[in-house]
Amino acid sequence: MIQIICTLVLFLLILFPVGNYIYHISAGKKTWADPLFDRVDNVIFKSLRIDRSPMSWKQYALHLLLVNACLVAAGYLILRLQSVLFLNPNQIGNMEESLSFNTIISFMTNTNLQHYSGESGLTYFSQMAVIIMMMFTSAASGYAACVAMVRGLLGQRMGNFYEDFTRITTRFLIPAALLVGLFLVWQGVPQTLASNITVTTLEGKFQNLARGPIAALESIKHLGTNGGGFLGANSSTPLENPTILTNLAELYSMMILPAACVVTFGRMAYDTLRQRKAANTKISLSQTDSARGKGMGKEGRTIFLVMSLLFLLGLGLCFWSESQGNFAVENSGIVQPAGNMEGKEVRFGIAQSSLFTTVTTSFTTGTVNNMHDTLTPMGGLVPLLHMMLNVVFGGAGVGLMNMLVYVIIAVFICGLMIGRTPEYLNKKIEGREMKLAALCLIIHPLLILGFSALAVACQSGLEGITNPGFHGLTQVLYEFSSSAANNGSGFEGLADNTLFWNVTTGMAMFFGRYISIVLQLGIAGSLMKKGCVSTSAGTLRTDTPTFAVVLVVVVYLFAALTFLPALALGPIAEALTLGI
Amino acid sequence: MKKNRMTLVRAFGFSLAMIGLCGFVYPLILTGAAQVLFPFQANGSLIEVQGKPIASALVGQDFTDERLFHGRPSAYRYNTYTAEEAAAGSGGGLASGSQNYAPSNPALTERIEKDVERFLAENPTVKRQEIPSDLVTASGSGLDPHISVEAARVQVDRIVANTGLSRTEVETLIDEAVEEKVLGIFGETKVNVVRLNLALARRLGMI
């Protein structure tokens, strides 16, 4: 318990300096590192003759999709031809079509659902040129879309996709990945291009040991909230996550960008509102005002509080449930003071495991340091629920975008209840925005429940289920929630490397990512064009604790309306039958 | 039309530049730095005896010798296999993970029961309720090198009986191998079975 609290408090300490840096990158402000990075960026833009002028939301979305499409094409080719390309010391064959399709969509959409095992499925070349590369580019795409949406909401010009993409990659992702990577190597994560190795053990047996450029993948896997492991068992393996220090580094890496996006949003909103106010009242901006914006501004704080509250509620439930122990172990007459250790590592125990589980599904990374399939029923409900909500911080950028959609819905609902015109950040919310927001909200449950229904209705779907009873349905729900939320963790028991599962989850990932991004940019584009209404006594304030509570209720209400029946048949029924 | 083509060409060129930067430049710089600064860790933390690698300090092994400490059950037997199995063509794979049995799965109860009975047969002085739970639950990776301190202590009787070492000698070995929490807060108190067994084997003259 103390361990979890200390871990989270430490995170807050590093969040503000990093959030501040990301805000400077996003808002195009000066940082101390500019002289170096401006040069790097100029080389890229000049040599490719890329236009750096601002785009409309349609152009922005188009260029995002185009670049993603090019990367997908190149990546697919590499996977299909990997056996004959270089850097293949472990003699790995080409990847089969449906698995390649699934893998390439999975990594481009920042999902990192893996239906292959890295040890036997990918060459070092593919790990680097496809997996690591997409871990950077998918995170940068998500972040770019998020910054563009925030600018739109604030009534600024949307910016240039290439500019945003490059700035976050060269100024944050690559330097941070190098630092974290070196730290991981120091703690024991391998980073080599040499082949796997077989050793003769103390007892005269043989043991095969995996190696490779693991640390390089490991650092960006978390920084970009990607989550796909170099090895099959992901961050639970001692080669990817050998010590408690690497565990903390990986936790913080995956929390930092989504949380920093909220800080960035808050500061940008604060700046804009302050400028508007100054323009209206013709008062010069005072120093005290600028000091107040140093944190994350009031609008940012509301969102941060709501996300934190949702996060802590989930974490509490997961930790409590895991410390109750495993039903089957208890049945065998074994005492479990350490809680449910099935599928967990001794070096992490219950505390770090339940924390990692909640973080990985809240921040939609999808990396695991313990096996989610073997969690207790209520412990497993938490990651499932957080992926269904998809707004508890969320992946790099897109989590904030989803939350802003919920904010719009909450503003609208409040407006109906008290009879005021719904407004957010001085912009009127009208029919067009509401239609787009409602569409955004419907797509996620539609993908999860629709595909789950399909899977349990046909034989090829049912064949994937490996645990009997209610837990089988949970496996199916989890797989599609993970896909649609672009999370990528799994109830790994599911036998999912089949044509059915590769194609259906591939589609869920694709639609879950791109439809939402385009719709959300659409909302921002529509709000951007509107004039500002000035704040009056009749304005519903969105920076108060009351509004934060309303937002939490709205999020849970929508989840309950859409997902409760499915959850009742899965984890809740399992928990009840086991008598918890 | 020409403008559209230029857009596509730029997007493609930009993608190639990103593949080069993120897929090659970055991992190769890190490989170089890692090999220069931390060559031992970067190559898999291999422990060598007489010039030959015998284990990785990070990865558990499937110890079955009755003189040594045993680790946790593993779905993949820690990728360990015997010479006979290698000759017969089984074993020799490379994988990681667990069996993913849900708490409600009867197969889990069955597996635990089997492991409990085997443990009781190997350690006749130990009672069922004294077995630490980490010894009968499989780790997530199937490669967990650690066990709890209690899990090491509960095997002392067997090791004393099979090796002829005194109880204090074995207990001292365990005490020396205990890894504490970082700053007394983070992580768990634990024992690395691979390192502990190497120390024990040195004492026994096995290596």
Side-chain angles (χ1 to χ4, degrees):
Chain A
M1 204 54 186
I2 293 173
Q3 175 170 188
I4 293 180
I5 294 168
C6 290
T7 308
L8 293 176
V9 169
L10 266 180
F11 173 69
L12 287 180
L13 291 183
I14 58 167
L15 169 63
F16 287 97
V18 178
N20 191 28
Y21 179 62
I22 303 275
Y23 157 71
H24 278 87
I25 296 177
S26 314
K29 307 221 166 190
K30 281 204 167 59
T31 65
W32 54 271
D34 279 346
L36 172 65
F37 292 125
D38 281 346
R39 234 169 263 168
V40 177
D41 291 1
N42 281 337
V43 169
I44 296 174
F45 286 113
K46 288 232 173 87
S47 61
L48 295 168
R49 282 185 290 161
I50 286 173
D51 183 13
R52 298 170 87 158
S53 55
M55 299 172 166
S56 71
W57 81 265
K58 280 181 189 150
Q59 281 173 322
Y60 203 101
L62 176 74
H63 282 274
L64 187 151
L65 293 176
L66 264 182
V67 167
N68 279 208
C70 291
L71 294 171
V72 162
Y76 184 81
L77 272 182
I78 295 176
L79 290 183
R80 298 284 291 136
L81 298 173
Q82 61 174 355
S83 72
V84 293
L85 297 172
F86 43 98
L87 280 179
N88 184 10
N90 301 318
Q91 278 103 47
I92 285 163
N94 292 330
M95 197 180 259
E96 165 272 312
E97 293 108 335
S98 79
L99 185 56
S100 301
F101 163 79
N102 185 281
T103 304
I104 211 74
I105 294 205
S106 166
F107 281 86
M108 194 66 258
T109 57
N110 201 254
T111 312
N112 293 213
L113 191 74
Q114 292 171 294
H115 287 178
Y116 64 91
S117 264
E119 296 100 324
S120 50
L122 288 180
T123 65
Y124 293 168
F125 182 76
S126 299
Q127 294 274 23
M128 283 163 50
V130 179
I131 305 299
I132 294 180
M133 177 277 286
M134 284 200 164
M135 285 181 166
F136 279 100
T137 50
S138 64
S141 301
Y143 162 85
C146 173
V147 182
M149 182 186 183
V150 169
R151 288 198 197 110
L153 284 185
L154 296 174
Q156 302 169 0
R157 310 195 70 171
M158 226 161 217
N160 180 294
F161 169 71
Y162 296 104
E163 182 96 12
D164 290 332
F165 188 106
T166 311
R167 282 176 78 89
I168 193 70
T169 309
T170 56
R171 279 155 212 249
F172 177 69
L173 291 175
I174 289 183
L178 281 171
L179 278 180
V180 174
L182 262 188
F183 178 82
L184 295 177
V185 175
W186 170 56
Q187 283 291 306
V189 181
Q191 175 66 27
T192 170
L193 297 177
S195 67
N196 297 333
I197 187 170
T198 304
V199 299
T200 311
T201 72
L202 199 51
E203 300 180 326
K205 298 177 197 165
F206 302 114
Q207 182 184 34
N208 293 344
L209 293 169
R211 294 198 293 186
I214 302 183
L217 184 146
E218 208 55 28
S219 58
I220 185 60
K221 163 177 126 188
H222 293 99
L223 282 165
T225 68
N226 293 285
F230 195 95
L231 308 169
N234 215 309
S235 276
S236 69
T237 62
L239 289 170
E240 289 198 19
N241 192 1
T243 64
I244 178 69
L245 291 181
T246 57
N247 197 59
L248 291 177
E250 293 180 6
L251 267 176
Y252 292 154
S253 304
M254 67 172 135
M255 293 163 82
I256 198 73
L257 195 52
C261 279
V262 180
V263 175
T264 302
F265 162 73
R267 301 269 313 253
M268 286 169 77
Y270 180 82
D271 289 349
T272 309
L273 296 178
R274 197 160 64 97
Q275 277 160 12
R276 275 185 204 153
K277 205 168 153 194
N280 285 344
T281 52
K282 300 201 176 68
I283 297 171
S284 64
L285 305 172
S286 67
Q287 283 299 315
T288 50
D289 267 9
S290 104
R292 222 174 284 150
K294 276 276 180 282
M296 53 176 87
K298 280 184 172 178
E299 299 289 346
R301 200 165 51 204
T302 310
I303 301 226
F304 191 81
L305 277 180
V306 170
M307 289 176 165
S308 305
L309 192 63
L310 293 167
F311 173 79
L312 291 175
L313 286 171
L315 175 63
L317 177 61
C318 186
F319 177 69
W320 171 81
S321 181
E322 288 311 300
S323 51
Q324 298 302 303
N326 187 307
F327 172 78
V329 178
E330 193 181 316
N331 237 9
S332 307
I334 305 289
V335 218
Q336 332 176 49
N340 173 22
M341 285 304 287
E342 174 70 16
K344 296 201 178 59
E345 305 285 302
V346 168
R347 64 192 180 285
F348 304 137
I350 299 302
Q352 289 291 339
S353 294
S354 53
L355 179 60
F356 208 91
T357 293
T358 316
V359 167
T360 194
T361 45
S362 302
F363 294 76
T364 67
T365 306
T367 168
V368 294
N369 80 349
N370 67 97
M371 289 299 131
H372 290 185
D373 217 348
T374 55
L375 290 167
T376 56
M378 295 315 273
L381 173 102
V382 171
L384 182 58
L385 179 68
H386 281 199
M387 293 189 304
M388 289 170 162
L389 299 179
N390 204 15
V391 294
V392 192
F393 292 101
V398 294
L400 176 63
M401 297 171 82
N402 291 334
M403 186 52 112
L404 290 175
V405 170
Y406 270 101
V407 169
I408 289 174
I409 302 268
V411 165
F412 180 75
I413 292 177
C414 290
L416 287 184
M417 287 193 296
I418 56 179
R420 284 176 188 168
T421 320
E423 291 164 15
Y424 185 51
L425 303 174
N426 297 357
K427 299 273 186 176
K428 268 192 190 153
I429 311 284
E430 290 169 314
R432 185 178 151 81
E433 292 80 41
M434 277 314 296
K435 275 182 209 153
L436 291 173
L439 254 181
C440 264
L441 228 56
I442 283 174
I443 283 176
H444 190 56
L446 187 70
L447 288 174
I448 296 175
L449 300 175
F451 276 119
S452 296
L454 180 70
V456 293
C458 66
Q459 192 53 36
S460 43
L462 288 172
E463 275 163 7
I465 296 176
T466 53
N467 277 302
F470 301 113
H471 195 88
L473 179 65
T474 316
Q475 283 186 307
V476 173
L477 278 173
Y478 197 99
E479 187 76 0
F480 286 115
S481 303
S482 176
S483 304
N486 295 143
N487 177 283
S489 66
F491 269 25
E492 288 300 336
L494 193 73
D496 48 19
N497 184 15
T498 61
L499 186 65
F500 175 85
W501 285 101
N502 284 339
V503 173
T504 50
T505 53
M507 286 161 67
M509 291 187 278
F510 182 82
F511 294 127
R513 173 87 167 178
Y514 293 110
I515 293 185
S516 321
I517 285 191
V518 172
L519 288 177
Q520 285 157 347
L521 286 177
I523 295 176
S526 148
L527 284 176
M528 187 172 76
K529 278 190 241 135
K530 291 189 183 179
C532 293
V533 289
S534 54
T535 314
S536 68
T539 308
L540 173 76
R541 288 184 59 189
T542 50
D543 55 2
T544 58
T546 321
F547 184 74
V549 173
V550 170
L551 193 51
V552 171
V553 172
V554 166
V555 170
Y556 274 134
L557 202 67
F558 271 87
L561 286 173
T562 40
F563 295 116
L564 195 61
L567 288 175
L569 288 174
I572 296 177
E574 190 189 4
L576 292 176
T577 46
L578 294 185
I580 300 164
Chain B
M1 200 55 219
K2 187 158 178 253
K3 197 176 159 236
N4 284 352
R5 199 183 309 145
M6 279 316 287
T7 309
L8 199 63
V9 167
R10 294 226 166 105
F12 191 70
F14 184 75
S15 305
L16 284 185
M18 285 299 144
I19 293 177
L21 187 64
C22 306
F24 293 96
V25 176
Y26 155 73
L28 293 179
I29 289 179
L30 188 60
T31 310
Q35 290 290 339
V36 170
L37 293 172
F38 310 110
F40 173 74
Q41 293 97 315
N43 291 306
S45 307
L46 297 174
I47 299 176
E48 298 193 349
V49 170
Q50 289 153 5
K52 283 192 190 131
I54 186 168
S56 165
L58 302 175
V59 181
Q61 294 185 355
D62 183 32
F63 293 108
T64 48
D65 192 313
E66 55 191 15
R67 293 170 295 174
L68 300 177
F69 288 93
H70 297 174
R72 305 179 64 192
S74 156
Y76 296 100
R77 288 176 55 204
Y78 297 91
N79 297 320
T80 312
Y81 51 101
T82 59
E84 296 87 66
E85 281 169 327
S90 63
L94 183 59
S96 56
S98 86
Q99 285 137 329
N100 288 304
Y101 290 149
S104 57
N105 193 336
L108 178 62
T109 315
E110 219 170 277
R111 194 204 73 206
I112 291 175
E113 198 53 40
K114 219 157 130 199
D115 282 332
V116 167
E117 267 154 32
R118 202 189 56 205
F119 188 88
L120 291 175
E122 287 171 354
N123 302 273
T125 56
V126 178
K127 286 196 227 43
R128 181 178 275 256
Q129 62 272 22
E130 289 167 358
I131 303 176
S133 62
D134 54 312
L135 277 181
V136 293
T137 49
S139 66
S141 62
L143 305 173
D144 195 351
H146 295 108
I147 52 175
S148 62
V149 183
E150 300 77 48
R153 295 242 158 81
V154 82
Q155 303 183 44
V156 168
D157 281 348
R158 169 172 59 81
I159 288 161
V160 167
N162 291 328
T163 58
L165 293 177
S166 77
R167 174 169 272 282
T168 8
E169 276 176 303
V170 179
E171 276 172 354
T172 317
L173 282 175
I174 295 178
D175 290 340
E176 282 165 2
V178 170
E179 298 170 8
E180 296 290 346
K181 294 182 178 189
V182 172
L183 303 176
I185 300 173
F186 299 105
E188 305 290 329
T189 314
K190 62 202 181 296
V191 173
N192 183 318
V193 192
V194 177
R195 285 186 190 278
L196 177 59
N197 276 339
L198 285 173
L200 180 60
R202 266 187 213 111
R203 177 65 62 87
L204 294 172
M206 286 167 74
I207 48 172

